[in-house]
Amino acid sequence: MKTFTHIALILVAGVVLGLVVRQFRNSAVRTDGPGADEVVYGNDNAVVDNATLRPEDVANDTPSKPPEDVEWLSEFELLERSGEMVSTDDLKGAPYVVSFFFSTCPSICVSQNQKLKELQDEFEGQGVRFVAISVDPETDTPEVLREYAARFGADQDQWLFLTGELNYIRRIGAEIFQQPVNKQSHTERFVLVDPDGKIEGFYNWPEKRQLEKLKESIESMLQEEASSKKS
């Protein structure tokens, strides 16, 4: 009987000691008051200091910062299919329509450029320009673009096909024309830019009404330009 009593006392003492130790640990990693239910990291889940790691385990211990010389783009210069460089300054003085495409696109780009062909024919000789920028510049070299443009009967002076470096074209799309573009990825929008180089609007070309409004906006710009020249 004494032996049983001794064993029971030892077990009870062990349980009590365990509870005391657990309470002590909890008090070390929690605080009282508001936020007491939030996780507070102690030594059990601490991040290992880089000083204890081998050099090969530390990828880069220097925080990254944005480059100081990068500014938001407001103008661009790209290579045209003719081999000549074309800039935003070259385009000023008349309205122009910007689109993004790539030559190996089997469907949407073909339909899009057929719409541009219609616009080119409708505004032939009126000074309006159409600026198609490739989003697959590695493929779309000036030679490839010359062959592609010929498929649509693109007038070299009126309808420009531009290429360049992909990251630069991404920035042109996002920062200048507010269009999310990536390699072989683009919107179905035409961007109308006025003679001063300011964006007038974005037109979803598959929508017939929006395409008609684009034509009206171009005609309005041409009329204003003609009136200003007379005065």
Side-chain angles (χ1 to χ4, degrees):
M1 184 67 180
K2 289 183 179 181
T3 301
F4 176 78
T5 302
H6 289 161
I7 293 174
L9 290 173
I10 291 172
L11 291 175
V12 171
V15 171
V16 171
L17 180 61
L19 291 173
V20 170
V21 171
R22 182 176 180 181
Q23 182 63 31
F24 176 79
R25 281 190 173 184
N26 287 342
S27 64
V29 298
R30 293 184 181 272
T31 58
D32 295 330
D37 57 341
E38 296 178 1
V39 176
V40 179
Y41 289 94
N43 290 332
D44 291 340
N45 45 21
V47 177
V48 178
D49 192 289
N50 282 346
T52 65
L53 297 177
R54 296 171 302 170
E56 58 268 30
D57 292 331
V58 182
N60 188 357
D61 59 359
T62 304
S64 61
K65 296 182 180 180
E68 296 179 356
D69 60 342
V70 174
E71 297 181 357
W72 198 264
L73 290 181
S74 59
E75 56 186 29
F76 70 84
E77 186 177 41
L78 289 170
L79 183 64
E80 213 275 324
R81 69 184 185 277
S82 63
E84 300 292 329
M85 299 299 293
V86 174
S87 70
T88 43
D89 286 339
D90 297 326
L91 297 170
K92 287 183 179 179
Y96 61 93
V97 177
V98 176
S99 62
F100 293 89
F101 82 105
F102 58 103
S103 65
T104 57
C105 174
S107 56
I108 293 176
C109 294
V110 175
S111 299
Q112 174 175 291
N113 286 316
Q114 286 173 344
K115 295 297 182 184
L116 286 172
K117 168 62 174 172
E118 294 175 12
L119 291 172
Q120 176 191 248
D121 293 345
E122 185 167 340
F123 293 99
E124 183 179 0
Q126 299 184 50
V128 183
R129 281 183 161 183
F130 304 95
V131 180
I133 302 176
S134 170
V135 292
D136 187 9
E138 293 180 0
T139 300
D140 293 339
T141 62
E143 181 180 2
V144 170
L145 292 180
R146 284 195 294 271
E147 296 176 358
Y148 185 80
R151 291 168 49 187
F152 297 93
D155 182 277
Q156 187 165 326
D157 295 324
Q158 189 177 11
W159 190 354
L160 309 178
F161 286 78
L162 306 181
T163 188
E165 195 271 328
L166 182 59
N167 285 332
Y168 183 50
I169 290 172
R170 285 193 187 106
R171 292 190 63 194
I172 290 171
E175 297 176 25
I176 298 180
F177 298 114
Q178 302 173 33
Q179 302 294 299
V181 299
N182 209 336
K183 185 174 183 178
Q184 297 188 350
S185 176
H186 59 89
T187 68
E188 296 182 352
R189 288 182 175 182
F190 291 154
V191 184
L192 178 59
V193 182
D194 69 18
D196 295 325
K198 297 179 181 178
I199 294 176
E200 186 276 338
F202 306 94
Y203 298 84
N204 192 7
W205 63 262
E207 298 290 337
K208 186 176 179 179
R209 292 182 179 178
Q210 290 199 32
L211 193 61
E212 289 302 318
K213 287 184 178 180
L214 172 60
K215 295 178 183 179
E216 293 173 3
S217 296
I218 293 174
E219 289 173 353
S220 177
M221 285 185 185
L222 292 174
Q223 290 173 3
E224 289 179 7
E225 187 181 6
S227 299
S228 63
K229 287 181 179 179
K230 289 180 181 180
S231 60

